[in-house]
Amino acid sequence: PWTAPKPADMKTNSPTLTWQSDESILASGDTTKEDHYELRYANLPAGLTALKIEALPHPSLPDNGPGMTYYEGPRGEFFIGDLSVLAGEQKWKVSASSATAGKSGLMTDANLQSGWNGADKAGQNSTAVLVFEKPWPGGDMVIKFQSGRHYSASLGHFRISFTNKQSGLEALAISSEVEKLLLLLKLTVDQEKQLRSAFLMAAPNLAGQVNKIRDLRTPPRGEETLVMRERPAGQPRTTRLHHRGEYMQPEQVIMAEFPAFLPSLPKDMPRNRLTFAKWLVAPENPLTSRVTVNRAWAAIFGAGLVRTLGDFGFQGELPSHPELLDWLALEFQRQGWSMKKLNRMLVLSATYRQQSQVAPELQARDPQNRLLARGPRFRVEAEMVRDISLKASGLLSPKMFGPPVRPPQPASVTEVAYGGAGWNVSKGEDRYRRALYTFMKRSAPFAATSTFDAPSGESCVARRDLSNTPLQSLTLLNDEAFVETAQALAQRAMALPADDNARLTHLFRRCLTRFPRDTELAKLLALLTQSRQRLAAGELIAADIAPSGNGSPEERAAWTVIARALLNLDETITKS
C-alpha cells in the first residue's frame, strides 16, 4: 500500500542528500541550526491520500541517528518543522495523523507551533503519517520542511512514501519492511524469523527485556573531545560582514584573506585550515616564531623581549634585544618548532642562571632588568601557588586528565553565583589535584587564584599583571586549602626523629628548595619555642589549629604554625 518513489530533485541549504538502494534518503556533510529540505516528485499519480515520513537509523550518523545531532541535546536526535506540501504554487492542505516519536503533531500550515522530534528514539525507527485533506489530483509535488531548531538537529536518514488507502492511516511502530511482510500470504524461513523478531521487539509485555537488548546493542560511547573539523569542500561557509556589528543584519559577503602587510596565501591553494596552518609556520612568515619565542621568554624571565606580548604592531613596544629575538625565532624553527627544546635552551642559558640579587647602582640604572644583568625574580602564576603548597605537603595528586574538580574554598564565594547549588567540594584524591583541573565559572572565578591575579576567563589575556596585596598573605594563612596543606606538612615533620633542627631544616627545604641559613634556622626555632609556650599557656587552642593527626595536639599545632609561616614566605611562591 505504501510506495516510495525517487524524487526528481533534492535540495538542501547544507547537507548533501543521496538516494539509497532501499528507497531511503541519506544526509551527509555539514549541518546548520536551520536546514531546509526540498524534495520534488514528478508526475505522482492521482488519488494519493497520505504521505509517510520514516526517520531511520544509519551507522554513519551519531549514535546511529536518525538525526545528525552531535553534542547539543541527545546524540542522534532530529527535529522536523514547518512542513508544507505544494502542488505547483498552491499549498496542499495536510494534517498530522499520528507519529511514533516525540510530539504527535508535525509543524504544518495548520499548526505552526508544534513539531516532530526523535529525542526519545535515538538509534531507532520513528514514523509520522500526514493525511491529505482531499485526494491528490496528480502531477508534480514539492515537499518542504525545516530540519533543526535552536541547534543542529537535522534529519539524517529518512524515507518518504505515499498511499491511496482510505482508512488505517496511522503511524505504526514497525518498519516498512515489516509492513510489507505482513501483506504476504507465504513467507520464507528468513522472513518468518524477521517477522517474529519484530513482533517480540514490539510486544508491550516484553518492554523491559527489549530495552535491555537495545542497551546491549548500543555501541559504548568513549570519552569525547571537542574538536574542529573542516567543512566539506562543496559546502563552504558563507561569512557576512554585519552592519555596525549587529548580528541580525548580515550584509556583505567576505572571503578569507590576510592583511596586506603580511605574506599572502599562494593563489593555487584552497582557503582552508590546513593551508592556514602551513602559512603560519612558513619561512616567509617570521611573525609566528617571533611571537612564540617571546611568550616563552616572558614565561621564564617574567617579561618578554617585547613587553607587549599581544601587540607586535605599531602600538607595541620595541624589543629590548632585537638581534636576540631574531636569533631565537630562527633557532626555534631550526629545532623543529619544539617548545621543549626552546625552554631547555632558555633555562640552561647563562642569562637565566644568574643570581637575582642586585647591587644598588644596578638597581638605579636598570630597575626593570631590561639589560638582563641579573637573574629573573617574580611571583609564580596563580595556579602554581596552590600547586607548590600541595607539592610541599605531599598532598598533590599526580592524576591526569578527566573532568574538572572542586577544591575547598569559602562558601560565601558561591552563595549567589551558582544559583543556590553551592560548591560541592571534591572528595578523596580529586580534592588535591593540580589547579589546572579546577572547575571555572566566569561569573564566580575560583577565589584563591583570583586573589593571585588569575584572569576570570571573560576575555583572552596575553600577559597577566602581578600584584602584591595583604589579601594574598591572608589567603596563604587562612584559606581552608592552605590550612590543610600546612597541617599535612606538619605531619611530615613529626614523622621524623625528634630533632627540632632536623625537622625545621626538612620543612624549610620542602618549601624553599634550599638549606636554611643559621639566622633563618634560629628564627624558626624561636617561633617554634614561642608557639609551644603559647599553647601550654592556653593563648592558642591546639584543636583549632590542628584538630586531627598523629602525636599530641600541642605538638601538631606548634608544627602547623611553622608550616603556615614557611608556606607564607615570599620566597616560597617567588621564582628567583
Side-chain angles (χ1 to χ4, degrees):
W2 293 94
T3 58
K6 182 178 180 179
D9 190 24
M10 300 182 292
K11 297 179 181 178
T12 66
N13 61 306
S14 190
T16 299
L17 301 182
T18 307
W19 180 256
Q20 305 294 297
S21 59
D22 62 351
E23 300 177 333
S24 65
I25 299 171
L26 179 64
S28 59
D30 197 18
T31 63
T32 69
K33 294 181 180 180
E34 293 186 5
D35 286 335
H36 297 278
Y37 289 50
E38 180 178 323
L39 309 174
R40 184 175 66 85
Y41 293 88
N43 299 319
L44 289 180
L48 299 179
T49 57
L51 68 86
K52 178 170 64 176
I53 304 177
E54 296 173 83
L56 307 169
H58 195 272
S60 68
L61 302 174
D63 280 2
N64 288 325
M68 304 177 74
T69 304
Y70 274 93
Y71 295 107
E72 310 94 335
R75 284 172 59 105
E77 180 184 1
F78 69 90
F79 179 89
I80 292 180
D82 198 15
L83 185 142
S84 60
V85 177
L86 303 176
E89 298 297 327
Q90 178 188 1
K91 287 189 176 181
W92 201 254
K93 290 187 178 181
V94 297
S95 60
S97 168
S98 59
T100 62
K103 301 177 183 178
S104 61
L106 276 163
M107 187 180 289
T108 64
D109 297 331
N111 188 8
L112 294 177
Q113 300 304 315
S114 64
W116 181 45
N117 67 61
D120 58 345
K121 293 287 186 178
Q124 303 178 44
N125 290 30
S126 300
T127 304
V129 172
L130 285 83
V131 179
F132 299 154
E133 187 178 72
K134 55 185 179 180
W136 180 251
D140 292 356
M141 177 190 294
V142 175
I143 300 175
K144 295 182 179 180
F145 59 86
Q146 173 188 321
S147 194
R149 175 191 262 187
H150 308 309
Y151 57 87
S152 298
S154 300
L155 185 57
H157 189 210
F158 60 99
R159 182 189 295 119
I160 296 181
S161 52
F162 303 89
T163 187
N164 56 10
K165 291 197 305 178
Q166 300 296 323
S167 61
L169 299 175
E170 294 184 0
L172 302 177
I174 57 177
S175 65
S176 293
E177 291 78 8
V178 174
E179 281 191 68
K180 293 177 181 179
L181 293 179
L182 292 173
L183 299 175
L184 297 178
L185 297 177
K186 188 174 182 180
L187 300 174
T188 65
V189 175
D190 290 340
Q191 289 172 336
E192 286 182 357
K193 289 182 179 179
Q194 184 179 355
L195 196 58
R196 185 182 297 109
S197 175
F199 168 76
L200 294 174
M201 295 296 286
N205 57 329
L206 298 178
Q209 290 80 0
V210 168
N211 289 333
K212 292 180 180 179
I213 293 173
R214 287 200 176 106
D215 290 341
L216 291 172
R217 288 178 177 177
T218 302
R221 184 188 300 179
E223 293 289 337
E224 295 179 350
T225 301
L226 296 178
V227 297
M228 289 186 293
R229 59 179 180 176
E230 195 68 42
R231 289 172 176 266
Q235 299 173 352
R237 174 181 175 178
T238 300
T239 303
R240 296 180 180 272
L241 184 66
H242 295 87
H243 178 63
R244 299 179 64 84
E246 173 56 52
Y247 76 96
M248 294 294 289
Q249 300 185 44
E251 293 185 357
Q252 177 187 351
V253 177
I254 56 177
M255 306 301 293
E257 198 47 81
F258 293 92
F261 65 87
L262 294 175
S264 60
L265 287 174
K267 293 184 179 181
D268 57 341
M269 296 292 287
R271 263 48 177 175
N272 56 24
R273 297 184 188 277
L274 179 59
T275 300
F276 177 58
K278 291 179 178 179
W279 176 87
L280 282 174
V281 296
E284 297 79 16
N285 179 26
L287 187 60
T288 304
S289 56
R290 285 166 57 85
V291 170
T292 303
V293 300
N294 188 62
R295 294 201 179 192
W297 185 279
I300 291 174
F301 286 89
L305 296 171
V306 177
R307 292 182 67 88
T308 51
L309 302 184
D311 191 347
F312 269 54
F314 288 112
Q315 295 183 348
E317 290 190 17
L318 294 175
S320 58
H321 299 73
E323 294 85 357
L324 175 59
L325 180 62
D326 290 343
W327 182 85
L328 286 172
L330 292 173
E331 188 66 17
F332 182 48
Q333 293 184 29
R334 282 194 291 266
Q335 293 185 356
W337 301 80
S338 170
M339 291 300 299
K340 286 187 176 181
K341 292 181 180 179
L342 174 63
N343 290 329
R344 181 182 178 86
M345 178 172 58
L346 295 181
V347 298
L348 292 181
S349 65
T351 305
Y352 178 77
R353 296 165 70 182
Q354 297 178 103
Q355 289 188 348
S356 59
Q357 295 177 345
V358 55
E361 58 274 14
L362 183 57
Q363 177 70 25
R365 180 184 176 188
D366 185 22
Q368 296 184 345
N369 196 27
R370 299 302 288 155
L371 300 179
L372 305 174
R374 61 182 184 275
R377 187 181 189 279
F378 57 94
R379 198 202 68 221
V380 299
E381 293 182 341
E383 293 81 1
M384 296 183 186
V385 172
R386 181 166 174 270
D387 289 352
I388 288 174
S389 178
L390 289 171
K391 181 65 176 178
S393 65
L395 293 176
L396 183 65
S397 166
K399 182 179 177 181
M400 298 179 66
F401 314 118
V405 297
R406 289 171 169 81
Q409 68 170 333
S412 58
V413 175
T414 59
E415 283 179 351
V416 179
Y418 290 91
W423 178 271
N424 298 321
V425 177
S426 299
K427 305 296 183 182
E429 184 181 13
D430 286 346
R431 187 184 183 98
Y432 307 114
R433 296 194 66 186
R434 291 174 56 198
L436 172 69
Y437 298 103
T438 301
F439 177 83
M440 294 293 291
K441 185 171 183 176
R442 288 193 296 267
S443 60
F446 191 63
T449 54
S450 296
T451 303
F452 289 94
D453 308 310
S456 65
E458 294 174 301
S459 59
C460 181
V461 177
R463 180 175 63 88
R464 299 186 185 184
D465 294 323
L466 294 180
S467 65
N468 189 3
T469 68
L471 187 58
Q472 294 170 356
S473 184
L474 291 172
T475 298
L476 292 174
L477 278 174
N478 302 316
D479 187 281
E480 181 181 355
F482 291 97
V483 171
E484 283 187 9
T485 57
Q487 293 168 348
L489 186 58
Q491 287 290 299
R492 295 185 70 91
M494 294 182 64
L496 299 173
D499 181 341
D500 288 346
N501 284 345
R503 288 178 174 180
L504 290 170
T505 300
H506 178 76
L507 293 188
F508 194 95
R509 293 190 65 192
R510 290 193 67 86
C511 294
L512 279 71
T513 67
R514 65 174 177 85
F515 285 96
R517 302 183 183 91
D518 292 340
T519 54
E520 294 168 332
L521 192 60
K523 289 181 179 180
L524 288 174
L525 188 58
L527 177 61
L528 179 63
T529 302
Q530 182 189 57
S531 299
R532 285 168 172 164
Q533 293 172 351
R534 297 182 65 189
L535 286 163
E539 296 180 24
L540 298 177
I541 307 302
D544 294 340
I545 300 174
S548 61
N550 300 322
S552 68
E554 290 74 16
E555 276 296 288
R556 290 201 311 267
W559 285 103
T560 300
V561 170
I562 297 298
R564 292 176 72 191
L566 288 172
L567 291 174
N568 204 322
L569 289 177
D570 176 71
E571 188 175 343
T572 302
I573 59 172
T574 299
K575 185 185 182 71
S576 60

